[in-house]
Amino acid sequence: MAKGEGAESGSAAGLLPTGILQAGERPVQESKKKNQLSICNKLCYAVGGAPYQVTGCALGFFLQIYLLDVAQVDPFSASIILFVGRAWDAITDPLVGFCISKSPWTRLGRLMPWIIFSTPLAIIAYFLIWFVPDFQQGQTLWYLLFYCLFETLVTCFHVPYSALTMFISTEQSERDSATAYRMTVEVLGTVLGTAIQGQIVGQAHTPCVQDANASTVALEGANRTQSATSLRETQNAYLLAAGVIASIYVICAVILTLGVREQREPYETQQAKPMPFFRGIRLVMSHGPYIKLIAGFLFTSLAFMLVEGNFALFCTYTLGFRNEFQNLLLAIMFSATVTIPIWQWFLTRFGKKMAVYIGISSAVPFLILVALMESNLIVTYVVAVAAGISVAAAFLLPWSMLPDVIDDFHLKQPHIHGTEPIFFSFYVFFTKFASGVSLGISTLSLDFTGYQTRGCSQPAPVKFTLKMLVTMAPIVLILIGLLLFKLYPIDEEKRRQNKKALQALREEASSSGCSDTDSTELARIL
């Protein structure tokens, strides 16, 4: 309580009748009860995070091998599709965020209309990604068009969904609780996407050419009928998986829409004019700790994305586990899901920078083991489980450390507000752009080394390239990222200092705001 506030309040209390004071206290208590979210509300909100994770896992792990071996797109065109699609996905995040910030409030809210109207178009575009058209001439354009369209539409779903956290309740404790529910469902969504896509597709046996050097004429010879039948079965399996995932997408969107009501901030109309978007970008990008944090995570994220994008091909051709890679993916994601609570405990006990060093570097010994060992299924499963532990750290830590950077920014720029979406959207932008670069370069390198579409085996240079893309290249990127984290200035001591300083600022602002509000209310009643 600020100095003199007690006397001022006492004077006001003496002037006002007791009935008025009690009537003023009741709305506050009723408001708190009104803003409390039930478990059902929190679950409905959390379910909305599943569509982005389910579709993202399916595309991240399976789109490359689908384009090369099922749709039979040549490696160079596949690299263009993957790179342009991910780069466009990165660009749409800040663009959609900007458009949403300019959207008016409607009867459904400001964010809900984006979620509702993007859903039917998104599932159509997603289904058409996994459909093989009958024509060969324009296949690259087909996949590029619907991939970019889907990424745009799913961004129109996920960006407003992420911002919805601030509008489901005005109570901070309720928002934090709902966010915990959301993170749990999103992690389960990654497991669900991997399991559905992997197990359905794994039941179909993609046809291959026994002789990797066989010509098109040989391919159309004696095995033509059997090969065409098997290929059609594989294509149908991908369509079935797409249909199941699209159904989950729709169900989750309906539950979110019916179970969550968007609440407008009561004092939003009294707030100052929002800061211009491009000025906010300049301020955010000039904040040193933010640049160092995203630089470190950019390299580590690029490492894990290289593993994610090439893992199916690596298991199929380098290790020879054509019918096991979907189970290996499931082992990775299940391990990540189980160990996320452990990493949450670790970072609160030993600090976030220590969690970064231990968690992300723990993948290096196992990647070295994969690079040096011969093909062994049991060892590969052990490595997959260990990789999941490191993936959990890489999944959790960026979202845990970004708020610390934002707190540091608010202390240095106390009069600048509304920059939080810029911090998060540009982290996602750089991560997605790095993903596009990694997939584009890796697929292009396979083309240069002589990748054979639908080959039962690949030339030695292709196998070696896949091994480098899944082992040595990620190791180098992880080491560079960890070196950059040495420059990150916010350690546990700095974080505690920032927390105390922010608490003091909030108390000062709260006491000032309460004094102004009490004076205004007193004048109105008198």
Side-chain angles (χ1 to χ4, degrees), residues 355-383:
V356 168
Y357 294 136
I358 300 298
I360 295 179
S361 64
S362 63
V364 173
F366 296 99
L367 292 175
I368 294 175
L369 178 62
V370 171
L372 298 178
M373 74 174 187
E374 296 294 331
S375 177
N376 186 299
L377 185 58
I378 296 176
V379 175
T380 304
Y381 269 104
V382 173
V383 171

Side-chain angles (χ1 to χ4, degrees), residues 60-61 296-311 332 356 358-364 367 386-395 435 438-439 469-470 473-475 477-478 482:
F61 282 117
F297 276 118
L298 186 65
F299 281 94
T300 55
S301 299
L302 187 57
F304 287 104
M305 287 171 187
L306 275 175
V307 177
E308 177 191 66
N310 296 282
F311 188 78
I332 293 174
V356 168
I358 300 298
I360 295 179
S361 64
S362 63
V364 173
L367 292 175
I389 297 173
S390 192
V391 167
F395 182 89
S435 173
S438 68
L439 281 174
L469 289 171
V470 174
I475 289 172
L477 292 169
I478 287 174
L482 293 178

Side-chain angles (χ1 to χ4, degrees), residues 126-197:
Y126 180 78
F127 188 80
L128 291 175
I129 290 174
W130 304 103
F131 177 76
V132 180
D134 293 333
F135 50 85
Q136 294 287 333
Q137 190 66 28
Q139 268 196 346
T140 300
L141 183 60
W142 171 281
Y143 290 113
L144 184 60
L145 172 64
F146 287 109
Y147 187 29
C148 291
L149 180 61
F150 171 74
E151 294 295 355
T152 303
L153 293 167
V154 79
T155 299
C156 291
F157 181 100
H158 192 252
V159 169
Y161 170 74
S162 299
L164 189 61
T165 308
M166 303 301 296
F167 298 95
I168 56 176
S169 175
T170 56
E171 292 294 325
Q172 183 61 45
S173 60
E174 294 298 307
R175 295 172 182 170
D176 293 341
S177 177
T179 300
Y181 278 78
R182 171 193 166 186
M183 293 302 295
T184 302
V185 172
E186 286 192 354
V187 174
L188 292 175
T190 62
V191 178
L192 188 63
T194 305
I196 291 173
Q197 187 82 10

Side-chain angles (χ1 to χ4, degrees), residues 5 8-9 12 511 513-524:
E5 187 179 347
E8 188 175 346
S9 301
S511 61
C514 286
S515 298
D516 294 342
T517 303
D518 291 344
S519 300
T520 303
E521 185 68 13
L522 176 63
R524 186 185 67 80

Side-chain angles (χ1 to χ4, degrees), residues 22-215:
Q22 293 175 346
E25 291 172 357
R26 282 195 297 269
V28 175
Q29 297 174 353
E30 292 175 0
S31 176
K32 287 185 178 180
K33 291 182 179 179
K34 180 181 178 181
N35 289 317
Q36 287 182 349
L37 298 173
S38 66
I39 294 178
C40 181
N41 292 140
K42 295 174 184 177
L43 287 174
C44 290
Y45 167 73
V47 164
Y52 182 78
Q53 299 298 335
V54 172
T55 56
C57 263
L59 290 169
F61 282 117
F62 292 91
L63 184 58
Q64 185 187 44
I65 194 171
Y66 165 79
L67 290 174
L68 293 173
D69 285 359
V70 180
Q72 301 180 45
V73 177
D74 64 272
F76 179 78
S77 298
S79 68
I80 298 297
I81 294 169
L82 294 170
F83 171 72
V84 175
R86 291 295 181 95
W88 176 251
D89 184 23
I91 294 170
T92 56
D93 279 283
L95 289 179
V96 170
F98 175 76
C99 293
I100 290 173
S101 68
K102 301 297 183 183
S103 299
W105 277 87
T106 67
R107 187 177 61 172
L108 297 173
R110 175 188 289 173
L111 306 174
M112 278 298 184
W114 289 81
I115 294 173
I116 293 170
F117 293 113
S118 67
T119 295
L121 299 175
I123 61 172
I124 294 173
Y126 180 78
F127 188 80
L128 291 175
I129 290 174
W130 304 103
F131 177 76
V132 180
D134 293 333
F135 50 85
Q136 294 287 333
Q137 190 66 28
Q139 268 196 346
T140 300
L141 183 60
W142 171 281
Y143 290 113
L144 184 60
L145 172 64
F146 287 109
Y147 187 29
C148 291
L149 180 61
F150 171 74
E151 294 295 355
T152 303
L153 293 167
V154 79
T155 299
C156 291
F157 181 100
H158 192 252
V159 169
Y161 170 74
S162 299
L164 189 61
T165 308
M166 303 301 296
F167 298 95
I168 56 176
S169 175
T170 56
E171 292 294 325
Q172 183 61 45
S173 60
E174 294 298 307
R175 295 172 182 170
D176 293 341
S177 177
T179 300
Y181 278 78
R182 171 193 166 186
M183 293 302 295
T184 302
V185 172
E186 286 192 354
V187 174
L188 292 175
T190 62
V191 178
L192 188 63
T194 305
I196 291 173
Q197 187 82 10
Q199 296 305 314
I200 293 178
V201 171
Q203 300 303 314
H205 299 286
T206 305
C208 59
V209 182
Q210 293 295 334
D211 182 4
N213 296 317
S215 63

